[in-house]
Amino acid sequence: MLEPSYKPKELEEKVRVYWDKNNIRRRVEEREDQKEVVGYVEGPPTLNGEPHIGHVRGRFYKDLWFRYATLSGKKVIFRGGWDTQGLPVELQAAKELGITGEKQELIKIGMEKLVEKAKEMIKTYYASWISSDRLLGLMMDHEKDYWTYRDEYIEREWQILKAAWEERLLGESYRVVGYCPHCQTALSHSEVSSEYELLEDPSLYYKAKLRDHENRYIVLWTTMPFTLITDVMVGANPDASYSIVEVGNEEWVIASNRVADLMNELGIADYKVKGNVLGVDLKGKRYYYPLAEEVPKQKEYDEKFKTHVMVLDQSVDISTGSGLVHMAPANGEIDFNIAQREGLPIFNPFDDSVHFTQEAGKYAGIFARDTDFIVIEDLRKKGLVIKASKIIHEYPTCWRSHHRLVWLARREYFYWVDKVGDKALKAAEGVEYFFEAPKNRFLNIIREMKPWCISRERVWGTPLPIWTCSQCGEKNALFSRKEIVQNALELPDGPNFELHRPWVDRITIKCKKCGGKAFRESFVLDTWHNSGASQYAAFTDEEYRRYVPVEFLTEGIDQTRGWAYSLLILSVIFNKAPKSCYKAFLFQGHILGPDEAKMSKSLGNIIDGNETLSQYPVDAIRFYFAWKVSPIATLVFKPNEILERPFQVLNTLYHLHVYLQQNSVLDGFNDKKHNLIWAQKEGKLNFLDEWILSRSQRITEETIKSYSKSEFNEAAKTLEKFIIEEISQKYVPAIRRELWSDDPSTLDRRLTIYSVLSYCLKKADILLHPICPFITDCLYLECFTDRKDSILFESFPEVDEKLLNDLVERKFTLVDRMISTANALRMKAKLKRRWPVRETVFIIPTTEDFTEQEIRVLKDLINTKQLTIATDLASAPTKYNLKPNVEKLGKRLRKDLPKLFTFLERTDRDTLAEELIAKKKVELEIEGIKLILHEEDFQFIIEPKEGYDLLESDGIKVLMKVSRESDLIKEGTIRDVARRIQAYRKEIGLNPTYVVKSVILWSDDNEIIETVREKVEELKFLVRTENIETVERCDEDWKEEEIDGKRLMIKIVI
RNA sequence: GGGUCCAUAGCUCAGCUUGGUUAGAGCGUUCGGCUGAUAACCGAAAGAUCGCCAGUUCAAAUCCGGCUGGACCCA
């Protein structure tokens, strides 16, 4: 039996234990009766921290989908995985070791230490995640989880590299990165943007002479003079206007809108604007490279590649400097991109410590930033400096060492996504995204087809398995341990070395081409490559063939450019075809804290997952997640909201089951026998039953449709309405009266009600299960004997067309409105609902045939002795009142108007009104004056006849005879008394069905006592007692109650 | 700086495609009532300048433009 009150935390733990004990998860996976087998491999959470509430939401959607798919008749291979490598893990591990991870530090403590720490750390966080998953009820196969750092995973990941290598989609190029000269490491984008400091730098205005012009110079500005050494071109904005300014005997080119300010800044008063030239017309103009003597290599480039030329780009800012920008592709990302576009070379004469190499001529061997002032001096000697001063500005620094970063073009490995053609887009277009906005965004990202830099200068990651020959430069790519061992020159750690740095670095390879010694490219792979390989790497070949493309995936919207992208690109590369490894991808919105702020470690407003899941009912949290907003919307997480509506829905669902169970047990109900088929055969279904059965079909249809479209909030709202509004608020109150009886002659009717209720609740349980697995499985197991070992072995109900009944639904809606109106009238007339009324008349706008059964139900619910339903006023106990239109009549009758008033007071206005309505006009003679009254002279007001009250709402008029007649008063009194006794019974903890020995009553009101005596049998039945006594005196410890100001004392003898 | 999306009651949303009564609903709030499953329920009330500014139109929450604010992605 269910406990009489809903204690979610106890219930949920009981269900968890039940699932574990009965191996439900494994049995669901191993069952053989499912039609279709589909795969799901989750996006791996990064094990560098505790799960927070946002992660919990994401995992909830995964579980929801799993349960939905399972109940839809699919067998889901539901695999979990963990992201265990890459920058975030490495940084966290370094932090926990108390180091910053710079190169020198690592050399000192050894990479082994960092790797060891990373492995240890991910195990710790893994435990937290597993705990949270268990609390959440995530039915994921954690026994078969994939771990991205494991050798077997890495070897499979390499297979994708291999495919790319074979297709020539993998290769070397340069990428401009923020680089710390001190730590000698490249920084990731997020690392760069996290640290900016106010620093002093040189501010240099200089000029470069244009070729093909007598005395014409371009004016340029830089805060990094050393980049003049790597200067390749000058950018102009194609849309801007540039002025030719005469200064002394020279002509300077400056953006027109900068001339005045710039001259002012440079302290040049004597100048003259000679003319203008458009940005576009500057294209292709070449200038003399200022440091040609110092850097011979540049002179070579000049001749060979026609460098030191003006190019056009929208990004050139004409609001600072001179509106022309000097560009050094080796030291700037935009510069680099433009150089690539223009087919200009990258002059990149730096070593790892950011000192210039021999190629830099005069500057060789000097640290880049130390050449700033040397360059200024060299320019000054040539008379090219216009002004050299200092500037304080925000500049990115290294978060570890706080050294200034330098932008450097580093040699990296790339996937040439731009050469994949339209395969990626085709693959992406074939995927279901459920919502338009994320779909468009994703497709736009795919359309960019930008090369993907997959190499990272890091330690803890999948190593790039390429060895470069120290003699001939040949790249020896080896994509498995076996190949490496076979080609190894040196294997210091034996053939079973770990596939990580530093072990893999120690291996040297015999060059395939020349037999020379080849060393590994010391890169590791981008972590997105690592996790993006999961759909292949997490499976065996056989599984990959069977389950990929997987049926569905869901992750946060931030994964659009992350995991969703890398999965798709890797799938296309690996398959060498426009094939996505997933059929559907649902992008979820983010979660915000209660203050609508983004949760972040620095703000300290992170809501912990385990804590929240322990504190609140998990079903309610899950319902809240699903119900509050659509999965793509941002969810503002306000914990107190969980206990409002979501809890209410679950509480109601629980008590509906309690109600069914408590009542049905007494009547020996057996859902195997007394099912719907039985009830239909018995013919005891009334229109209330037909209504709720019809509704349940619609709810089934709508819910499943919403689930299939990933509109989980719609599904939750549909079920909320069904449970609260339809079953709890309408159906149960309507049938409640019938269940109070224990008359054997109506047993079949009660069993019918149980069968209907049982049918609807079971349906609701199954439909709600994906959202709220604990309560639904518990109620399912407790309340139904016609069941399986878990609700998860059920399947979504089919819509039973035979039970759909438009007519009944329409009629019920009307009846419902009629009851509401009647209740409103009672309220207005101060008529308690327990008091029956003699007569009720409805005037409704539509013709409906009501069956005798329906009338009976209505009478019961309205608590009326007589009931009439009409569509017009003809037989209604109404009369008209007339309100004369004084303005109109006054003009016509003038001084005779008072006579009309007197007449109206004396006459039967109802009859007059009906005559006016029928004939449009009436002729009268009042005190010898003949009058013609028109219909439009009056306003007609409908009023109830004497003894009735009237209310109109929503087009329905209801009239009730409100007179208090003695038998009705007595009936009401009995109900009043009964209700107080019942409340007391409940208070002292008596079961509703328990029959007590005696109820003893005392009252200071004779009428009450007399009524009780008169209706003692009825009262005995109502309050379930063998005997009722009324007494003259009572003790003070009796229960004191009040009925309309009169005292009632109650004693119950058990 | 660029892109995508969003803005309607305290909260969550509907209405916008196709312009046309008084902008709806649920939750929450207040008051009153009911209750032998319930923390349920019933009735009433309060609560909105439809982000702002212009435009098109007889008529704009709805269509167009701009602005402001927010979210996300990318620089």
Side-chain angles (χ1 to χ4, degrees):
Chain A
M1 285 291 277
L2 286 169
E3 276 214 42
S5 66
Y6 174 41
K7 294 176 187 151
K9 297 312 286 180
E10 288 169 30
L11 178 153
E12 283 159 12
E13 189 51 30
K14 241 169 65 190
V15 172
R16 279 182 205 109
V17 169
Y18 176 86
W19 286 346
D20 287 348
K21 222 173 104 189
N22 293 280
N23 282 316
I24 300 299
R25 208 227 83 236
R26 196 172 43 88
R27 284 167 58 199
V28 167
E29 186 173 318
E30 285 171 2
R31 62 196 290 204
E32 296 297 332
D33 59 330
Q34 302 289 64
K35 284 169 263 171
E36 199 186 336
V37 186
V38 300
Y40 183 105
V41 178
E42 75 158 332
T46 306
L47 290 177
N48 68 334
E50 303 280 336
H52 63 65
I53 196 66
H55 296 123
V56 172
R57 183 193 185 204
R59 300 183 85 62
F60 157 64
Y61 283 128
K62 293 177 185 179
D63 187 59
L64 186 161
W65 181 82
F66 166 76
R67 291 174 191 274
Y68 153 71
T70 302
L71 289 168
S72 302
K74 287 173 184 158
K75 177 163 149 178
V76 182
I77 306 301
F78 196 39
R79 291 284 164 84
W82 306 102
D83 194 7
T84 54
Q85 297 187 143
L87 183 72
V89 177
E90 189 177 322
L91 289 182
Q92 183 65 22
K95 194 174 157 197
E96 291 187 15
L97 274 177
I99 62 169
T100 54
E102 63 171 89
K103 208 170 192 174
Q104 297 307 317
E105 253 181 353
L106 275 177
I107 290 166
K108 208 158 47 182
I109 70 156
M111 284 184 200
E112 289 93 337
K113 200 103 191 150
L114 185 68
V115 169
E116 190 189 336
K117 182 72 206 178
K119 286 185 193 165
E120 177 197 315
M121 187 189 80
I122 58 180
K123 294 220 163 64
T124 314
Y125 289 124
Y126 170 72
S128 295
W129 281 78
I130 287 292
S131 147
S132 147
D133 282 355
R134 183 174 185 277
L135 288 173
L136 179 66
L138 177 68
M139 215 165 249
M140 189 170 266
D141 186 357
H142 280 314
E143 288 159 39
K144 296 192 184 119
D145 284 345
Y146 66 95
W147 294 73
T148 57
Y149 77 96
R150 287 199 176 149
D151 285 359
E152 56 270 29
Y153 185 95
I154 288 174
E155 273 199 89
R156 289 185 73 80
E157 183 184 354
W158 279 351
Q159 293 308 300
I160 299 173
L161 281 176
K162 187 180 178 185
W165 186 255
E166 286 166 0
E167 293 289 294
R168 298 183 177 283
L169 291 173
L170 172 60
E172 266 186 306
S173 182
Y174 288 93
R175 184 171 75 135
V176 177
V177 292
Y179 188 89
C180 175
H182 181 260
C183 305
Q184 296 190 15
T185 38
L187 276 76
S188 75
H189 227 283
S190 60
E191 286 175 293
V192 171
S193 38
S194 66
E195 291 285 331
Y196 273 80
E197 287 177 50
L198 273 179
L199 291 173
E200 190 184 80
D201 268 320
S203 165
L204 171 69
Y205 283 99
Y206 70 98
K207 59 195 177 190
K209 191 166 186 289
L210 285 174
R211 299 184 186 203
D212 313 325
H213 279 280
E214 199 63 29
N215 277 340
R216 188 174 286 184
Y217 292 80
I218 45 179
V219 176
L220 297 153
W221 179 61
T222 179
T223 58
M224 290 181 285
F226 81 91
T227 58
L228 257 74
I229 297 166
T230 51
D231 176 85
V232 169
M233 59 202 172
V234 163
N237 191 309
D239 302 330
S241 155
Y242 290 86
S243 297
I244 314 292
V245 184
E246 199 177 69
V247 180
N249 58 358
E250 293 175 356
E251 290 172 352
W252 293 1
V253 181
I254 299 166
S256 304
N257 62 331
R258 286 289 302 156
V259 173
D261 287 348
L262 185 61
M263 288 303 162
N264 188 30
E265 194 182 333
L266 297 174
I268 298 169
D270 189 18
Y271 67 90
K272 203 167 92 198
V273 176
K274 273 188 72 180
N276 288 321
V277 54
L278 278 175
V280 278
D281 297 329
L282 293 171
K283 185 179 162 67
K285 300 243 182 257
R286 300 191 61 207
Y287 57 92
Y288 293 103
Y289 176 58
L291 301 173
E293 292 82 29
E294 287 82 354
V295 190
K297 191 82 183 175
Q298 282 275 31
K299 218 171 157 183
E300 231 180 282
Y301 273 36
D302 230 23
E303 284 152 22
K304 211 162 138 193
F305 302 108
K306 306 263 185 277
T307 53
H308 306 110
V309 62
M310 296 189 72
V311 298
L312 300 177
D313 200 80
Q314 294 288 351
S315 71
V316 172
D317 183 6
I318 52 158
S319 64
T320 57
S322 63
L324 292 170
V325 182
H326 125 76
M327 292 182 160
N331 302 102
E333 195 172 352
I334 295 173
D335 313 28
F336 181 88
N337 292 338
I338 295 173
Q340 294 248 293
R341 189 188 71 200
E342 301 287 331
L344 292 168
I346 317 298
F347 182 48
N348 192 26
F350 298 98
D351 67 12
D352 280 355
S353 58
V354 203
H355 287 59
F356 281 108
T357 61
Q358 290 308 315
E359 289 197 324
K362 177 185 172 184
Y363 308 100
I366 309 174
F367 175 58
R369 300 254 25 189
D370 290 343
T371 64
D372 279 345
F373 293 97
I374 306 174
V375 166
I376 295 173
E377 272 320 299
D378 289 343
L379 290 180
R380 206 188 293 280
K381 282 178 206 152
K382 297 168 203 252
L384 295 175
V385 171
I386 299 172
K387 188 183 177 188
S389 59
K390 303 226 160 121
I391 184 175
I392 292 176
H393 62 165
E394 285 213 313
Y395 192 83
T397 57
C398 173
W399 60 269
R400 298 189 186 92
S401 64
H402 292 277
H403 273 72
R404 279 180 171 81
L405 296 182
V406 177
W407 301 100
L408 276 189
R410 301 284 294 176
R411 198 172 55 83
E412 303 274 359
Y413 278 80
F414 288 83
Y415 273 152
W416 303 121
V417 177
D418 48 329
K419 292 185 188 130
V420 168
D422 61 354
K423 286 207 277 284
L425 188 62
K426 266 193 189 155
E429 277 170 344
V431 173
E432 165 74 69
Y433 301 95
F434 305 102
F435 301 93
E436 280 303 306
K439 174 185 178 175
N440 293 340
R441 211 149 55 89
F442 189 55
L443 292 182
N444 282 338
I445 290 169
I446 301 286
R447 279 193 196 100
E448 286 174 10
M449 302 221 297
K450 283 205 292 208
W452 174 12
C453 176
I454 57 161
S455 54
R456 295 288 182 272
E457 298 179 64
R458 292 279 165 183
V459 175
W460 179 235
T462 299
L464 180 72
I466 294 176
W467 278 258
T468 304
C469 180
S470 56
Q471 283 172 31
C472 69
E474 171 74 3
K475 310 273 180 205
N476 294 270
L478 303 164
F479 299 105
S480 69
R481 176 192 299 275
K482 204 173 145 197
E483 281 179 75
I484 295 170
V485 170
Q486 280 171 355
N487 292 285
L489 212 55
E490 292 164 291
L491 264 182
D493 298 290
N496 293 318
F497 62 95
E498 182 174 339
L499 300 187
H500 275 114
R501 301 186 72 185
W503 303 280
V504 74
D505 295 345
R506 296 180 191 145
I507 296 164
T508 55
I509 296 292
K510 186 179 172 191
C511 178
K512 282 177 202 161
K513 196 170 163 194
C514 74
K517 195 172 181 178
F519 295 89
R520 198 183 75 84
E521 295 280 3
S522 63
F523 298 110
V524 297
L525 296 180
D526 181 7
T527 180
W528 292 115
H529 190 280
N530 194 212
S531 56
S534 62
Q535 306 300 317
Y536 175 73
F539 280 134
T540 62
D541 281 343
E542 167 62 16
E543 286 171 327
Y544 181 74
R545 264 195 301 280
R546 287 183 65 188
Y547 308 139
V548 180
V550 297
E551 192 75 357
F552 172 92
L553 292 175
T554 178
E555 297 295 334
I557 190 128
D558 52 314
Q559 299 295 333
T560 316
R561 197 174 282 265
W563 197 57
Y565 178 82
S566 63
L567 280 181
L568 188 99
I569 296 295
L570 293 185
S571 178
V572 168
I573 289 176
F574 181 69
N575 289 294
K576 301 168 185 172
K579 186 186 163 191
S580 168
C581 55
Y582 46 85
K583 291 183 194 161
F585 205 115
L586 171 66
F587 294 104
Q588 311 154 15
H590 273 171
I591 202 159
L592 299 179
D595 50 356
E596 303 196 19
K598 198 172 169 177
M599 288 189 242
S600 78
K601 274 185 188 165
S602 56
L603 286 171
N605 62 346
I606 290 180
I607 298 175
D608 184 74
N610 275 300
E611 228 170 80
T612 312
L613 288 168
S614 309
Q615 202 178 338
Y616 294 90
V618 174
D619 280 323
I621 296 174
R622 293 177 57 127
F623 188 85
Y624 175 69
F625 280 152
W627 166 85
K628 183 167 176 173
V629 289
S630 136
I632 49 160
T634 304
L635 185 142
V636 179
F637 184 75
K638 299 182 180 174
N640 58 311
E641 289 178 340
I642 296 167
L643 297 177
E644 288 169 4
R645 189 64 168 180
F647 184 80
Q648 218 174 60
V649 173
L650 301 185
N651 192 43
T652 304
L653 181 70
Y654 186 88
H655 283 282
L656 284 167
H657 284 79
V658 170
Y659 180 72
L660 167 66
Q661 199 180 46
Q662 279 183 357
N663 284 280
S664 66
V665 159
L666 293 172
D667 284 320
F669 170 71
N670 177 345
D671 65 338
K672 276 188 180 148
K673 189 178 158 212
H674 307 120
N675 54 22
L676 212 54
I677 297 162
W678 170 86
Q680 283 164 327
K681 223 165 57 202
E682 288 291 305
K684 290 273 195 300
L685 292 173
N686 74 10
F687 105 107
L688 294 169
D689 308 323
E690 282 166 11
W691 170 74
I692 197 74
L693 289 170
S694 181
R695 289 301 308 153
S696 73
Q697 305 314 308
R698 306 239 189 254
I699 260 70
T700 302
E701 195 176 6
E702 282 172 33
T703 309
I704 295 174
K705 195 172 154 204
S706 298
Y707 276 134
S708 73
K709 289 158 73 186
S710 287
E711 288 167 355
F712 307 131
N713 55 325
E714 298 296 332
K717 277 174 182 150
T718 304
L719 291 168
E720 172 196 20
K721 192 177 169 208
F722 185 53
I723 292 165
I724 290 200
E725 286 181 35
E726 297 183 332
I727 305 184
S728 176
Q729 292 179 7
K730 299 199 170 121
Y731 182 69
V732 168
I735 50 89
R736 176 181 283 161
R737 206 71 54 83
E738 291 186 88
L739 292 190
W740 278 354
S741 158
D742 52 8
D743 183 348
S745 70
T746 56
L747 177 65
D748 277 356
R749 174 60 194 143
R750 292 198 296 280
L751 291 172
T752 300
I753 292 172
Y754 302 141
S755 74
V756 171
L757 205 49
S758 161
Y759 172 89
C760 291
L761 290 177
K762 196 175 183 178
K763 239 177 211 275
D765 289 339
I766 297 171
L767 290 169
L768 184 63
H769 181 72
I771 299 174
C772 303
F774 297 105
I775 189 173
T776 49
D777 212 4
C778 170
L779 294 174
Y780 172 83
L781 293 169
E782 286 284 346
C783 291
F784 309 109
T785 53
D786 185 14
R787 63 165 172 86
K788 308 197 158 76
D789 284 351
S790 165
I791 195 169
L792 208 44
F793 295 111
E794 285 283 348
S795 48
F796 274 151
E798 308 242 322
V799 175
D800 187 345
E801 301 282 343
K802 290 193 299 296
L803 292 176
L804 283 172
N805 194 331
D806 282 326
L807 178 70
V808 163
E809 285 193 44
R810 209 174 57 237
K811 205 185 267 181
F812 186 91
T813 309
L814 178 65
V815 164
D816 187 51
R817 277 166 56 206
M818 286 161 70
I819 293 170
S820 285
T821 314
N823 286 337
L825 176 63
R826 276 177 176 275
M827 191 67 57
K828 188 180 141 201
K830 297 218 181 299
L831 264 179
K832 291 192 185 189
R833 206 135 353 130
R834 280 193 301 272
W835 286 348
V837 293
R838 176 75 62 205
E839 188 191 353
T840 305
V841 179
F842 283 102
I843 295 117
I844 57 171
T846 50
T847 341
E848 256 345 310
D849 286 327
F850 288 91
T851 63
E852 216 168 294
Q853 182 197 50
E854 288 157 8
I855 296 283
R856 207 166 50 236
V857 169
L858 257 173
K859 274 161 91 169
D860 215 29
L861 292 175
I862 293 163
N863 197 12
T864 183
K865 297 289 167 193
Q866 266 182 52
L867 178 67
T868 314
I869 300 169
T871 50
D872 58 57
L873 292 169
S875 59
T878 54
K879 55 181 184 184
Y880 285 108
N881 199 352
L882 293 175
K883 197 179 166 199
N885 189 337
V886 183
E887 201 186 328
K888 218 168 181 172
L889 286 164
K891 274 183 192 157
R892 216 166 73 224
L893 304 181
R894 297 180 185 259
K895 62 180 186 307
D896 292 332
L897 190 62
K899 285 176 190 157
L900 178 67
F901 286 153
T902 326
F903 168 78
L904 284 175
E905 253 166 60
R906 267 188 262 131
T907 193
D908 178 7
R909 276 163 286 180
D910 186 43
T911 318
L912 178 62
E914 278 177 18
E915 213 179 327
L916 274 169
I917 291 169
K919 298 183 190 160
K920 303 289 176 207
K921 62 177 183 182
V922 172
E923 282 183 49
L924 284 176
E925 197 180 314
I926 304 169
E927 295 175 33
I929 301 157
K930 274 195 179 168
L931 285 180
I932 299 172
L933 298 176
H934 301 271
E935 192 185 5
E936 55 273 17
D937 291 334
F938 296 91
Q939 254 184 289
F940 299 89
I941 299 159
I942 298 162
E943 284 184 350
K945 280 188 181 155
E946 203 63 35
Y948 289 85
D949 255 32
L950 174 125
L951 185 81
E952 177 170 1
S953 150
D954 214 3
I956 294 176
K957 291 187 188 68
V958 60
L959 289 124
M960 272 183 174
K961 196 165 188 184
V962 294
S963 59
R964 297 188 61 178
E965 294 163 44
S966 89
D967 58 328
L968 298 181
I969 291 172
K970 280 178 183 164
E971 223 173 287
T973 305
I974 282 300
R975 287 201 188 181
D976 265 335
V977 171
R979 132 118 187 87
R980 263 100 184 151
I981 297 170
Q982 282 159 347
Y984 185 38
R985 278 183 60 124
K986 194 178 180 185
E987 195 181 314
I988 59 176
L990 287 179
N991 190 296
T993 53
Y994 180 78
V995 181
V996 299
K997 289 247 155 39
S998 185
V999 173
I1000 309 166
L1001 299 171
W1002 174 90
S1003 174
D1004 59 359
D1005 184 73
N1006 266 341
E1007 258 182 70
I1008 292 179
I1009 294 297
E1010 269 168 37
T1011 310
V1012 168
R1013 283 189 187 138
E1014 195 179 310
K1015 302 216 170 212
V1016 70
E1017 286 308 313
E1018 192 186 334
L1019 189 59
K1020 268 161 79 175
F1021 164 73
L1022 281 174
V1023 303
R1024 305 222 176 195
T1025 177
E1026 288 172 11
N1027 192 30
I1028 287 182
E1029 279 179 68
T1030 52
V1031 291
E1032 300 291 318
R1033 294 175 53 177
C1034 67
D1035 291 328
E1036 284 196 358
D1037 61 340
W1038 289 23
K1039 178 72 180 171
E1040 182 170 347
E1041 286 286 350
E1042 205 192 272
I1043 298 174
D1044 296 334
K1046 291 148 197 161
R1047 282 173 76 206
L1048 175 72
M1049 301 294 281
I1050 308 166
K1051 183 183 169 72
I1052 292 178
V1053 181
I1054 305 162

